[in-house]
Amino acid sequence: MSNSKTDSEIAQAIFTVNRHAKTASDNHYLYALKKEALNKMLLQKRAQKIGLHFSKNPRKSQQQSSVLVKCGNYYFHMLPKKEDFESLEHLGHLDETFRNPASRMNLRSAKEILSELTGLQPLKKDEAVSNPAKSYQPPEMNRFYSPKKSYFD
């Protein structure tokens, strides 16, 4: 099942999903895939936490750190847990010159690899229910509400 894929193939799939999640309009499923895949790889000792980095874009202008994780030939960032601050070395600011290796994997196959690994499936969108044509309903007249803006309207 998931053990048939090598660490580098899974890392490449995580990289592809992460790259697409940054520009997707509905990115919740993609980020959930990335998070669950990295957590599973860490539990199986197929990935390792390297250290902490200061976040490039901290929330609410406060300093924030993220965990640097090495999986295959790729490096990823995750949100830290409380114990990460005690056990991991802080590496300071992110090295802007470093880039992950180029990847040539399409999103569909990357999502298939990660959903097979994690067991996560995308939520099915509700099928469009045909709404009968609504008839006009006049607004309810309420003695405390008047559509007029002022006394002169």
Side-chain angles (χ1 to χ4, degrees), residues 19-151:
R19 183 181 60 208
H20 282 85
K22 292 177 183 184
T23 58
S25 58
D26 186 20
N27 57 13
H28 297 291
Y29 174 64
L30 297 177
Y31 278 127
L33 267 180
K34 173 194 171 189
K35 178 183 174 186
E36 288 301 316
L38 283 174
N39 284 335
K40 191 149 196 164
M41 294 294 282
L42 286 167
L43 285 175
Q44 295 175 354
K45 307 273 189 228
R46 295 168 74 182
Q48 61 182 359
K49 293 181 180 180
I50 304 297
L52 295 164
H53 268 157
F54 286 125
S55 292
K56 188 174 165 185
N57 298 314
R59 293 182 188 160
K60 299 180 183 175
S61 298
Q62 294 180 359
Q63 190 60 59
Q64 188 177 0
S65 294
S66 56
V67 177
L68 181 66
V69 178
K70 183 177 194 281
C71 182
N73 294 329
Y74 294 85
Y75 290 90
F76 304 100
H77 283 104
M78 297 176 57
L79 291 176
K81 296 179 182 168
K82 190 174 187 178
E83 58 268 13
D84 291 333
F85 288 102
E86 298 164 2
S87 63
L88 295 174
E89 176 188 356
H90 208 292
L91 305 172
H93 290 280
L94 181 66
D95 181 10
E96 297 289 335
T97 61
F98 179 80
R99 294 283 178 246
N100 277 324
S103 172
R104 296 283 178 229
M105 180 181 285
N106 66 33
L107 181 60
R108 179 179 294 173
S109 60
K111 287 190 329 190
E112 285 174 4
I113 290 171
L114 296 184
S115 64
E116 182 182 314
L117 175 72
T118 62
L120 285 179
Q121 296 296 325
L123 294 175
K124 302 272 188 222
K125 292 185 179 180
D126 294 337
E127 294 188 24
V129 178
S130 60
N131 292 335
K134 294 182 180 179
S135 60
Y136 173 73
Q137 295 288 331
E140 182 181 327
M141 294 307 290
N142 186 341
R143 68 184 196 142
F144 297 109
Y145 171 76
S146 171
K148 296 181 178 180
K149 300 277 190 253
S150 72
Y151 178 76

